Amino acid sequence: MPHLFDPLPMGGLTLRNRIGLSPMCQYSAVEGVPNDWHQVHLGRFAAAGLGVIFTEATHVTRDGRITPGCLGLWTDEQGEGLARILRSIRSVDPEVKLGIQLAHSGRKGSADLPWKGGHPLKDHTAWETVAPSALPHDEGWPTPRALDAGELPGLVEAFVASAKRALAAGFEVMELHGAHGYLIHTFLSPISNHRSDAYGGTREKRMRFPLEVASAVRKVWPKDKTFGLRLSGQDYLDGGMTVDDTVAFAKELKGIGVDFFDISGGGIWPSKLKVKVGPGYQTPSAERVKAEVGLPTFTVGMILDGGQADEIVQSGKADAVLVGRGHLREPFWVWRAAEALGAKHFCPPQYLRAGERPGANVPRTVLATKG
Ligand SMILES: Cc1cc2nc3c(=O)[nH]c(=O)nc-3n(C[C@H](O)[C@H](O)[C@H](O)COP(=O)(O)O)c2cc1C
């Protein structure tokens, strides 16, 4: 029997299955406000029967965006835009859990849209970026301004204010972006954090700001919902963060009441990355975090089909999978996984006849409006 479609309790709520839409920036907002693109893009997943839909990285300040097209949650208008999209998804699928990823880009901010090259902006639209230390993200990137310790409480407050707006908008799953070389990750990694004050130096000191953010958000995020972090399990760089560091940080996070982890990888100094990319290449990091910390743990990164995903869950390497690019290509990834595994999946009544399609290798009865 497959386990991929088993429910997953996480904090105060339960996902209906172990498949999620990974957060994916769309670079299509105007002043951080979602629009028709976001409605159409996220709406494509309303009938998919996912356990959780994560919206893209949503930034807590204007200067904390990656690109001028990134979503934000520093105004009520942005929150109302997201609330409208959530209401429409729930009207199709009342059971799917809706998740947000709150982020600050740090030294990876002020970048152009990926389809325009994704390089640091050089014209009048560029803005000053900030980081724990005045060290650029990679070759060709500007040197960020090192944050003064006195500025950090303001950033914590920005995360808290955005978390409150996310709650008001109707999100149930809150994830902080602590991976991929953005602000929180740059505090954790010894490569990007060369501070000599209370926020750098030892591993404990590098964890301090990320823990301050997580503790403050935990306090405002209700226990009957769920709260976690995406972390880069490892930097894949000599002298970078290792899985030991991630496990140590995850244990601290467990101590402050975090409910789940979402383990990705990399993001610091991409041009020097030492990693062999292939199916499930990041799952070993998630496996260590799950085994050593003992909280529900997602894995992400080239999870290509239901069989692979079910093997990960069955063998206990991770509790759930997040699928990114596969979902962009195929919003009904979950249906194909269910058909391959002989499992039931959600299907809105309007689509029930899809089970009659010629060549479907499952009888129509496996389709269920709940499951
Ligand atoms: C278009 C695109 C946008 C992404 N944006 C984000 C993001 O906002 N936050 C994040 O943590 N990861 C982001 N990612 C990474 C994905 O969430 C995912 O971890 C990665 O693509 C690996 O999973 P996959 O092999 O299933 O695509 C993005 C990836 C893509 C392709």
Side-chain angles (χ1 to χ4, degrees):
M1 284 295 288
H3 287 345
L4 192 60
F5 288 84
D6 291 351
L8 175 64
M10 304 198 324
L13 55 74
T14 299
L15 305 188
R16 63 135 80 86
N17 62 38
R18 278 115 187 288
I19 309 166
L21 174 68
S22 203
M24 279 181 286
C25 291
Q26 297 299 300
Y27 314 103
S28 300
V30 176
E31 283 299 318
V33 181
N35 53 42
D36 286 350
W37 174 259
H38 303 87
Q39 175 68 61
V40 169
H41 161 64
L42 292 167
R44 294 200 311 154
F45 300 99
L50 283 149
V52 54
I53 294 175
F54 276 105
T55 59
E56 66 197 76
T58 304
H59 299 93
V60 300
T61 65
R62 193 170 188 274
D63 285 357
R65 291 177 299 171
I66 309 165
T67 72
C70 284
L71 273 188
L73 205 37
W74 65 88
T75 73
D76 291 344
E77 184 194 1
Q78 294 160 344
E80 285 152 17
L82 286 167
R84 270 193 295 280
I85 295 172
L86 300 196
R87 277 196 297 273
S88 70
I89 295 174
R90 280 213 182 85
S91 72
V92 175
D93 179 0
E95 238 188 297
V96 63
K97 302 300 179 218
L98 298 169
I100 189 163
Q101 183 186 57
L102 285 188
H104 188 297
S105 58
R107 64 185 191 171
K108 278 177 85 174
S110 190
D112 209 347
L113 308 183
W115 49 85
K116 290 185 177 173
H119 304 298
L121 291 167
K122 292 212 164 68
D123 61 7
H124 67 283
T125 60
W127 64 89
E128 180 187 58
T129 57
V130 294
S133 302
L135 298 164
H137 167 58
D138 208 334
E139 270 149 43
W141 282 73
T143 303
R145 181 173 62 77
L147 283 159
D148 187 87
E151 295 174 84
L152 300 181
L155 285 167
V156 172
E157 201 33 59
F159 273 94
V160 168
S162 295
K164 288 180 177 166
R165 287 194 183 95
L167 189 61
F171 285 100
E172 298 147 306
V173 183
M174 163 61 66
E175 169 177 284
L176 300 181
H177 200 338
H180 302 171
Y182 298 110
L183 186 67
I184 290 178
H185 184 190
T186 53
F187 270 86
L188 293 168
S189 174
I191 291 183
S192 44
N193 183 346
H194 290 188
R195 295 176 78 97
S196 53
D197 64 0
Y199 292 95
T202 63
R203 180 160 79 189
E204 282 60 40
K205 289 180 176 174
R206 282 185 271 113
M207 292 193 296
R208 182 170 170 175
F209 172 68
L211 278 171
E212 285 177 358
V213 176
S215 309
V217 173
R218 173 71 284 183
K219 287 196 183 92
V220 299
W221 197 254
K223 291 273 187 190
D224 65 356
K225 301 193 178 331
T226 192
F227 170 54
L229 279 86
R230 172 166 277 199
L231 301 174
S232 276
Q234 43 188 314
D235 284 346
Y236 304 114
L237 292 170
D238 294 334
M241 241 184 125
T242 63
V243 191
D244 287 343
D245 294 322
T246 303
V247 166
F249 181 47
K251 285 182 177 166
E252 294 292 324
L253 291 167
K254 186 181 184 183
I256 60 158
V258 162
D259 300 314
F260 74 91
F261 299 112
D262 169 8
I263 305 299
S264 184
I268 300 274
W269 214 342
S271 64
K272 297 212 169 158
L273 218 60
K274 289 184 176 168
V275 59
K276 201 161 170 252
V277 176
Y281 71 106
Q282 300 194 127
T283 301
S285 306
E287 187 174 2
R288 285 246 351 246
V289 172
K290 174 176 156 61
E292 296 184 38
V293 188
L295 285 180
T297 303
F298 297 152
T299 181
V300 65
M302 288 188 73
I303 316 261
L304 303 177
D305 58 36
Q308 183 196 356
D310 190 55
E311 190 281 324
I312 289 169
V313 173
Q314 288 252 19
S315 60
K317 292 180 186 136
D319 296 287
V321 301
L322 296 185
V323 175
R325 290 163 292 179
H327 270 132
L328 296 184
R329 284 193 298 273
E330 188 186 4
F332 288 93
W333 194 99
V334 174
W335 289 29
R336 191 162 56 82
E339 289 184 3
L341 296 167
K344 291 185 178 186
H345 62 80
F346 168 80
C347 177
Q350 295 91 333
Y351 281 9
L352 275 173
R353 292 194 64 184
E356 294 170 4
R357 73 182 158 80
N361 60 359
V362 286
R364 185 178 167 201
T365 48
V366 303
L367 291 170
T369 50
K370 288 191 175 227

